[in-house]
């Protein structure tokens, strides 16, 4: 499980960030100051850093971080209320990998942190497969027996997530959180509709599924191809 450190002096914002990242399946350590976070940062996979901090500013801390050979490659997402282009450029030139202006949506926060984590793990698989189903994450391309599937963005995201976690059962609520984001206002029926649409693309019989299996009372899973054979 990836470990994300959050440094944010405003308590409400800090807890909101912690809540949504933990709901997304990440391990989170949250601190009010850079000094308090110093030990945890050395073990982090990514850092969410507020620009305005008491004592040393987030920007000053980031510059110091980038001067440390052991931490210079740590992915950093900077949070700030500063929206001016010059200030965004200053943050990026100081070493931030990405920039998020307050107020922000939980879905965008989670998506940006996940993107940083993916980029920081060059050995993470970009190609997924399950029998004749093949997915290229970097190209957002899904193919069945070599034929490209014409999927919407959300259909692709759902298919990729289940394929990445083949064999594991996810409830509708979990899928909404992981794929749609914690601030999505739709209901669980949305998941059912997208599974139905994906089954049509995959020529998947709900009664005898090769791929997307309904686990009664629990949710859905990507069925391992070995079971389908």
């Amino acid at each position: 499980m990836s470990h994300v450190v959050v440094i944010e002096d405003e308590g409400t914002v800090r807890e909101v960030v912690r809540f949504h990242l933990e709901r997304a399946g990440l391990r989170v350590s949250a601190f009010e100051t850079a000094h308090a976070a110093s030990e945890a940062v050395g073990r982090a996979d990514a850092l969410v850093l507020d620009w305005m901090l008491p004592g040393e500013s987030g920007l000053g801390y980031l510059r110091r971080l980038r001067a440390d050979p052991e931490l210079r490659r740590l992915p950093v997402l900077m949070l700030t209320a500063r929206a001016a282009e010059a200030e965004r450029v200053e943050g990026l030139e100081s070493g931030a990998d990405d920039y998020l202006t307050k107020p922000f949506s939980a879905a965008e926060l989670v998506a940006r942190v996940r993107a940083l984590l993916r980029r920081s793990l060059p050995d993470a698989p970009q190609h997924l497969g399950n029998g004749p189903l093949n997915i290229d994450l970097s190209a957002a391309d899904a193919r069945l027996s070599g034929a490209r599937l014409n999927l919407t963005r959300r259909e692709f995201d759902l298919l990729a997530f289940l394929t990445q976690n083949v064999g594991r059962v996810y409830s509708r609520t979990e899928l909404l959180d992981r794929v749609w984001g914690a601030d999505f206002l739709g209901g669980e029926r949305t998941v059912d509709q997208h599974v139905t649409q994906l089954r049509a693309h995959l020529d998947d019989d709900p009664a005898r599924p090769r791929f997307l299996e309904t686990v009664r009372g629990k949710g859905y899973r990507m069925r391992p191809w070995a079971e389908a054979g």
Side-chain angles (χ1 to χ4, degrees), residues 8-20 104:
E8 164 65 63
D9 66 315
E10 189 176 338
T12 301
V13 176
R14 185 170 62 249
E15 291 310 309
V16 166
V17 172
R18 180 209 293 271
F19 174 77
H20 288 294
F104 49 81

Side-chain angles (χ1 to χ4, degrees), residues 3-130:
H3 179 207
V4 180
V5 170
V6 177
I7 306 177
E8 164 65 63
D9 66 315
E10 189 176 338
T12 301
V13 176
R14 185 170 62 249
E15 291 310 309
V16 166
V17 172
R18 180 209 293 271
F19 174 77
H20 288 294
L21 293 180
E22 287 182 341
R23 284 191 74 181
L26 302 170
R27 184 164 63 92
V28 181
S29 301
F31 302 90
E32 183 177 357
T33 67
H35 177 74
S38 58
E39 184 176 342
V41 167
R43 304 189 302 271
D45 297 304
L47 172 63
V48 178
L49 177 65
D50 185 36
W51 182 303
M52 299 297 293
L53 291 173
E56 183 179 26
S57 72
L59 199 62
Y61 176 68
L62 178 59
R63 289 172 176 147
R64 189 158 56 85
L65 195 80
R66 292 311 188 211
D68 185 332
E70 294 185 4
L71 297 173
R72 66 177 54 180
R73 296 186 181 278
L74 178 67
V76 176
L77 171 65
M78 180 158 276
L79 303 180
T80 180
R82 298 167 179 254
E85 181 181 0
E87 291 164 337
R88 294 200 303 271
V89 170
E90 184 181 9
L92 293 170
E93 288 186 342
S94 295
D97 297 283
D98 202 355
Y99 191 103
L100 195 54
T101 303
K102 302 174 185 177
F104 49 81
S105 73
E108 185 175 12
L109 168 71
V110 170
R112 287 177 181 267
V113 170
R114 282 179 171 162
L116 285 183
L117 289 168
R118 285 196 299 271
R119 291 203 296 268
S120 70
L121 298 172
D123 295 331
Q126 290 299 305
H127 295 270
L128 308 174
N130 187 35

Side-chain angles (χ1 to χ4, degrees), residues 124-137 141-143 156 159-165:
Q126 290 299 305
H127 295 270
L128 308 174
N130 187 35
L133 176 64
N134 289 282
I135 298 174
D136 183 341
L137 295 176
D141 181 76
R143 295 177 182 266
F156 178 85
L159 183 63
F161 179 78
L162 289 171
T163 305
Q164 202 163 21
N165 297 279

